[in-house]
Amino acid sequence: MNMGSKEEVVGAKDKYRSFLDDEGESNTLWRHGAPPTYHDVNLLFEQGRTKVWAEGSLEEIVQNAIKSWEMELSHKIRLQDFKTINPEKFKLFVNGREGLNAEETLKVGSYNALLGSSLPKELKAYRSEEETFESSHEAFRSAFPRGFAWEVIQVYSGPPHIAFKFRHWGFFEGPFKGHVPNGNMLHFYGLATLKVDNSLKVEEVEVYYDPGELLGGLISGAHTEEKNNTKISAASQGCPFSTK
């Protein structure tokens, strides 16, 4: 999860994500050469969160665990370097679709894994099957320059089967697939479950949410081509009362 978070790869400490502070000297292979930092999205999270969980509470543990998993999925390139999941058993299920194993999830990236759809191609606002890991990350970093924050709203059950409600939000301040940003805050809620082993490594994730709440906001603005065509059309008509 934690889709669209903006990161700067400069290797600073992070109070919400495990396995960053102690990995500067490890053999971990990072996608951008060094551990990331999440300064901007952490600030967005702290300014916009609706819950402040007590230190050590189950809610805080789940929230930080998901943030740590998203960090690994977005920035580590080898499953052997992951510490949040059991790579041999891991499966990700989104909205009841067929599950992805660890290798498949790492290959496509979190955005494409979470935004896949069975809709006909012409009806899709986002075509995950045509996106790469890199292009998907770039699209959402562009749309949310300050990041796309994530929080736990409520935890319904503890391990080994953890069920919880979450909220995602950010400000549409950059272009998305040619659509002009409007500065609005976009957010949505969802439900998820985690199956964890005795060491709290994740074996299965199930996520349920409505992608339309996110994508509808991102494509609500005019497309750059549409705006340009409107300008061209208006210019070609000119003023009917003018004389040259």
Side-chain angles (χ1 to χ4, degrees):
M1 300 178 199
N2 225 40
M3 299 180 297
S5 60
K6 182 183 178 183
E7 313 89 357
E8 300 172 8
V9 183
V10 295
K13 293 187 177 183
D14 191 288
K15 57 186 175 182
Y16 303 115
R17 295 165 183 83
S18 303
F19 315 127
L20 278 175
D21 301 348
D22 58 350
E23 295 209 57
E25 305 300 324
S26 75
N27 295 320
T28 299
L29 294 184
W30 296 97
R31 190 171 295 276
H32 301 288
T37 65
Y38 287 78
H39 175 271
D40 288 348
V41 76
N42 284 349
L43 181 60
L44 180 66
F45 166 73
E46 290 163 1
Q47 292 173 338
R49 61 184 170 180
T50 61
K51 306 287 185 179
V52 179
W53 300 114
E55 184 176 354
S57 64
L58 178 59
E59 291 84 359
E60 187 205 43
I61 291 171
V62 172
Q63 184 168 265
N64 290 355
I66 294 296
K67 290 177 185 286
S68 298
W69 170 63
E70 184 277 334
M71 175 275 295
E72 291 194 308
L73 182 59
S74 295
H75 291 282
K76 293 183 178 181
I77 61 178
R78 302 185 305 185
L79 287 176
Q80 68 192 65
D81 294 329
F82 279 52
K83 297 182 178 181
T84 57
I85 69 170
N86 182 332
E88 295 181 358
K89 294 184 177 181
F90 181 84
K91 279 277 192 176
L92 171 64
F93 302 88
V94 181
N95 290 333
R97 297 195 305 272
E98 183 178 353
L100 299 175
N101 63 31
E103 286 283 0
E104 292 168 332
T105 305
L106 180 59
K107 180 180 179 180
V108 302
S110 56
Y111 305 127
N112 290 332
L114 290 164
L115 288 167
S117 172
S118 59
L119 286 172
K121 182 177 179 179
E122 63 273 14
L123 298 180
K124 292 182 180 181
Y126 177 84
R127 298 172 181 175
S128 60
E129 69 277 7
E130 298 179 2
E131 300 288 342
T132 65
F133 182 107
E134 291 76 15
S135 68
S136 64
H137 276 247
E138 180 57 36
F140 287 94
R141 285 176 184 155
S142 170
F144 299 107
R146 286 191 277 164
F148 202 46
W150 187 92
E151 70 172 333
V152 163
I153 297 298
Q154 187 171 353
V155 177
Y156 302 105
S157 63
H161 296 280
I162 304 170
F164 60 95
K165 182 179 181 179
F166 65 87
R167 171 179 172 251
H168 240 317
W169 75 98
F171 291 88
F172 183 23
E173 297 170 326
F176 177 78
K177 297 291 184 181
H179 290 275
V180 180
N182 54 25
N184 291 343
M185 185 183 78
L186 303 182
H187 72 159
F188 65 87
Y189 293 86
L191 297 173
T193 63
L194 302 177
K195 179 183 177 183
V196 299
D197 62 18
N198 291 335
S199 60
L200 297 183
K201 290 188 177 181
V202 178
E203 295 181 346
E204 288 185 6
V205 180
E206 289 193 48
V207 182
Y208 296 90
Y209 78 109
D210 180 3
E213 291 186 85
L214 168 63
L215 296 174
L218 290 172
I219 65 172
S220 60
H223 195 281
T224 304
E225 293 180 357
E226 295 174 356
K227 291 188 71 174
N228 290 340
N229 289 339
T230 299
K231 291 179 181 178
I232 292 172
S233 176
S236 64
Q237 293 178 21
C239 176
F241 301 105
S242 66
T243 57
K244 297 184 180 180

